[in-house]
């Protein structure tokens, strides 16, 4: 594709140096539909990034757009803090009937602020309040958000350094596959818990992602998650699953922990819960943990009513039957077969490919390669990002509604980008 130089001057002079994705994709996007984004010069890009997992149903999904336009046109409430509204009622009813009840999950629903890190902060605060203990255990390469509490349970050294103050009350433990594969799971963790000389304060909770999205697409085995659940029960710790990136069907089932059969005490959900890319976050917890006093945790932007409208439409449209899960697993197999072919073509360069549902990673020995491949893919018309502590993994996160033809097209571009850069 011929790229004319876009006018980036106002971004470069006015916007802060902190900006990042726009540096990887130096163009000015204008429109987006389904799995395609179009820049102001009319170049079309296939999007395998999906708003970092916030656009599981594609850009400007027509069903959700219709529901939103109808709501706005009839002057439905846009802002209402946590007032009861018809939009919130419709969302809670759909969430209860379509998501919670069929899965036998008894959770209460809390609306913290509208972002993922708000949901994590509320989860950590509640766990500490319930257990009366300050310490939280997290895992190596975890990512839970940028506010100070979430950052304290996040692994990445660069992101942690940005805090500028000590990040306390969090202790990292090895995630699945972190050690040599022969050490029994949780040996170190349980030994520390049982030894009063270990220096580990008894934790209130453990927070975990079932697949670490930012940490490099590290997939926890179902048996590892089950063992973690059992350990939390034995040691009187709450289990928090952060499903902000891997929930809402990304791995197949609505919640990413369903495959393992565990029931977490607290679950955080955000990103694709509104279905439309509108900010909305939920902290879910077992009813007996609902020890909040009215107003003890609040925030101006909790009840995002337009997001409730698209969220309810998303659940009614995509989750009322079991089709979405089956489709995601089938489309995941398409991605897996392409990645297998790429790995077989470049055995000396590729460490491995890994993933579940429609989240996949391709790791390279040369840690600088993934960024070069993502850049080349952009030149060829594909948006993909990298993840892992040294950005050594090419990360594929297409919308769940990406068609098999679009998956083939994007993966052929990826294969060419790998060939051009290895
Ligand atoms: C697992 C996980 N938790 C929390 C967050 C933070 O969400 P937000 O950026 O909306 O604050 C993210 C964002 O990528 C995430 O992937």
């Amino acid at each position: 594709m011929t790229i004319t130089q876009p006018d980036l001057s106002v971004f470069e002079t006015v916007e802060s140096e902190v900006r990042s994705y726009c540096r990887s994709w130096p163009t000015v996007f204008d429109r987006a539909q389904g799995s395609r984004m179009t820049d102001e010069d009319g170049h079309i890009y296939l999007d395998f990034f999906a708003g970092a997992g916030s656009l599981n149903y594609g850009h400007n999904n027509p069903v959700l757009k219709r529901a939103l336009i109808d709501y706005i046109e009839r002057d439905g409430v846009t802002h209402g803090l946590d007032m009861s509204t018809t939009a919130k009622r419709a969302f809670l009813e759909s969430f209860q009937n379509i998501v919670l009840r069929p899965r036998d999950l008894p959770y209460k629903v809390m609306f913290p602020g509208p972002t993922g890190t708000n949901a994590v902060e509320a989860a950590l605060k509640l766990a500490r309040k319930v257990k009366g203990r300050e310490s939280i255990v997290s895992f190596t390469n975890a990512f839970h958000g940028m506010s100070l509490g979430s950052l304290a349970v996040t692994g990445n050294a660069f992101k942690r350094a940005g805090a500028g103050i000590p990040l306390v009350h969090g202790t990292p433990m090895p995630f699945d596959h972190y050690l040599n594969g022969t050490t029994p799971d949780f040996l170190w963790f349980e030994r520390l818990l049982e030894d009063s000389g270990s220096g580990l304060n008894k934790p209130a909770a453990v927070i975990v992602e079932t697949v670490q999205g930012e940490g490099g697409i590290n997939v926890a085995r179902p048996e590892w998650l089950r063992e973690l659940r059992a350990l939390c029960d034995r040691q009187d710790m709450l289990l928090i699953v952060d499903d902000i990136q891997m929930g809402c069907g990304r791995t197949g089932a609505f919640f990413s922990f369903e495959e393992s059969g565990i029931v977490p005490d607290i679950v955080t959900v955000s990103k694709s819960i509104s279905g439309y890319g509108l900010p909305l976050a939920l902290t879910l917890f077992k009813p007996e943990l609902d020890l909040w006093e009215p107003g003890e945790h609040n925030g101006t932007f909790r009840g995002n009513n337009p997001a409730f409208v698209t969220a309810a439409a998303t659940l009614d449209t995509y989750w009322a039957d079991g089709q979405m899960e089956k489709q995601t697993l089938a489309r995941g197999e398409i991605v897996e077969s392409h990645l297998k072919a790429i790995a077989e073509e470049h055995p000396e360069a590729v460490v491995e490919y890994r993933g579940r549902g429609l989240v996949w990673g391709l790791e390279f020995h040369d840690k600088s390669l993934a960024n070069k491949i993502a850049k080349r893919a952009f030149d060829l018309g594909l948006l993909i990002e990298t993840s892992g502590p040294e950005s050594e993994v090419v990360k594929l996160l297409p919308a769940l509604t990406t068609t098999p033809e679009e998956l083939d097209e994007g993966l052929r571009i990826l294969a060419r980008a790998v060939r051009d850069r290895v």
Side-chain angles (χ1 to χ4, degrees), residues 155-236:
N156 188 291
F158 173 60
K159 297 285 198 295
R160 289 176 65 87
I165 57 165
L167 293 168
V168 290
H169 313 303
T171 305
M173 290 290 159
F175 190 69
D176 197 9
H177 304 295
Y178 190 73
L179 297 176
N180 52 12
T182 55
T183 309
D185 297 331
F186 305 111
L187 180 78
W188 170 243
F189 190 178
E190 193 144 33
R191 179 96 179 85
L192 293 185
L193 287 167
E194 283 173 352
D195 178 4
S196 58
S198 73
L200 177 70
N201 292 342
K202 187 162 176 82
V206 176
I207 184 165
V208 69
E209 299 151 272
T210 64
V211 180
Q212 296 182 322
E214 303 305 298
I217 318 299
N218 305 315
V219 183
R221 287 165 300 141
E223 55 271 33
W224 187 85
L225 290 169
R226 284 193 286 272
E227 186 50 40
L228 178 61
R229 174 70 274 185
L231 175 67
C232 288
D233 289 341
R234 276 199 303 281
Q235 298 288 347
D236 184 33

Side-chain angles (χ1 to χ4, degrees), residues 284-365:
L284 313 175
F285 36 82
K286 292 182 175 168
E288 62 271 25
L289 305 183
D290 196 3
L291 301 188
W292 292 116
E293 297 292 332
E296 189 180 359
H297 187 90
N298 65 16
T300 308
F301 289 105
R302 279 166 299 156
N304 185 355
N305 282 275
F308 288 145
V309 171
T310 55
T314 301
L315 297 177
D316 298 344
T317 307
Y318 291 104
W319 291 97
D321 60 26
Q323 285 314 307
M324 199 66 206
E325 177 172 356
K326 288 197 192 91
Q327 177 180 297
T328 299
L329 296 176
R331 292 187 186 177
E333 284 173 18
I334 300 176
V335 178
E336 184 174 12
S337 67
H338 279 273
L339 294 182
K340 181 168 185 281
I342 294 173
E344 282 169 3
E345 191 181 331
H346 308 283
E348 70 302 331
V350 173
V351 177
E352 66 171 353
Y353 59 94
R354 49 184 185 255
R356 274 178 65 199
L358 273 170
V359 50
W360 288 87
L362 185 61
E363 183 179 352
F364 292 90
H365 287 292

Side-chain angles (χ1 to χ4, degrees), residues 10-86:
V10 72
F11 308 109
E12 284 162 2
T13 54
V14 178
E15 196 179 348
S16 160
E17 291 304 312
V18 79
R19 66 195 189 279
S20 65
Y21 287 111
C22 56
R23 297 176 193 272
S24 311
W25 300 321
T27 192
V28 181
F29 294 102
D30 183 39
R31 279 169 298 123
Q33 172 48 234
S35 292
R36 312 251 176 200
M37 296 189 78
T38 307
D39 72 12
E40 61 182 350
D41 295 319
H43 298 120
I44 299 174
Y45 298 83
L46 193 49
D47 180 7
F48 275 19
F49 170 64
S54 302
L55 293 163
N56 279 4
Y57 314 92
H59 293 270
N60 291 312
N61 182 299
V63 180
L64 312 182
K65 182 163 62 180
R66 188 71 266 153
L68 183 60
I69 289 172
D70 288 349
Y71 184 75
I72 292 172
E73 270 181 356
R74 71 170 186 81
D75 285 335
V77 171
T78 294
H79 185 270
L81 291 124
D82 68 355
M83 293 172 200
S84 297
T85 61
T86 51

Side-chain angles (χ1 to χ4, degrees), residues 21 52 54 114-120 142-147 150 154 207-209 211-214 242-246 268 270-271 280-281 395:
Y21 287 111
S54 302
T115 70
T117 200
N118 292 131
V120 172
F143 183 83
H144 298 292
M146 286 288 105
S147 51
S150 305
T154 286
I207 184 165
V208 69
E209 299 151 272
V211 180
Q212 296 182 322
E214 303 305 298
D242 180 347
D243 233 8
I244 286 167
Q245 190 162 153
M246 295 305 147
T268 55
S270 183
K271 292 206 190 260
L280 182 63
K395 176 181 177 189

